[in-house]
Structures are given as structure tokens and as C-alpha cells.
Amino acid sequence: MLIFSNPKFDSEFYGQMVERVKELQNKWNFDFLNLWDDDAFNYNEKDRELYMLDPIHPTRAGYKLSWLPVIEEELLKIKK
């Protein structure tokens, strides 16, 4: 099972949820792709316009060029 988070956006609650998921990951041993804490997803303003439709939804380019390669890589690790 793979759970993934969104990249950072202005939400204290979502950050708290990510912290809780990390705790649960240690307890239940599932795969967690943490885009929230990944600096590669801390987009500058130009990239945010290209990759994100709004604070939580990626655009097609966001999925194809930014999120998908990382998700595919994680799924391949799990498959092994």
C-alpha cells in the first residue's frame, strides 16, 4: 500500500495530518511518499503556476512532469 501527501500549501491542519501519517507509518509499516516535506516539491511561483491548479490539485503538467515520475519510482521500489 502506498499513501502519498500533497506538496506544502498553506494549511496547518494538513501539516499535522502528515506528521500523524508518519507516526502511523512507523507503527503499521506502509509506504508513504511524503511530498509535503520534499524540497523538490516546494515550487517557486513560476513552477507552481505550471504544476498546480490550486493549492492541492496538480495540473496535467503537474501530474505528468512532477508527480508521476516520483510516484512511478516509489511504486517500482515497492514492487521489488
Side-chain angles (χ1 to χ4, degrees), residues 38-71:
D38 188 335
D39 288 338
F41 290 86
N42 188 10
Y43 303 124
N44 62 39
E45 190 173 324
K46 181 181 175 187
D47 287 343
R48 185 166 292 282
E49 286 181 27
L50 175 63
Y51 294 144
M52 301 300 291
L53 183 61
D54 60 33
I56 61 171
H57 298 98
T59 61
R60 278 186 110 154
Y63 275 120
K64 185 176 181 178
L65 303 174
S66 185
W67 292 38
L68 186 59
V70 176
I71 292 170

Side-chain angles (χ1 to χ4, degrees), residues 8 12 14 17 23 30 37 48 60 63 71:
K8 272 200 176 132
E12 182 179 332
Y14 198 91
M17 184 203 67
E23 293 171 11
F30 56 84
D37 290 322
R48 185 166 292 282
R60 278 186 110 154
Y63 275 120
I71 292 170

Side-chain angles (χ1 to χ4, degrees), residues 6 10 14 25 27 45 62 71 78:
N6 276 66
D10 188 22
Y14 198 91
Q25 179 190 26
K27 180 176 182 179
E45 190 173 324
I71 292 170
I78 293 169

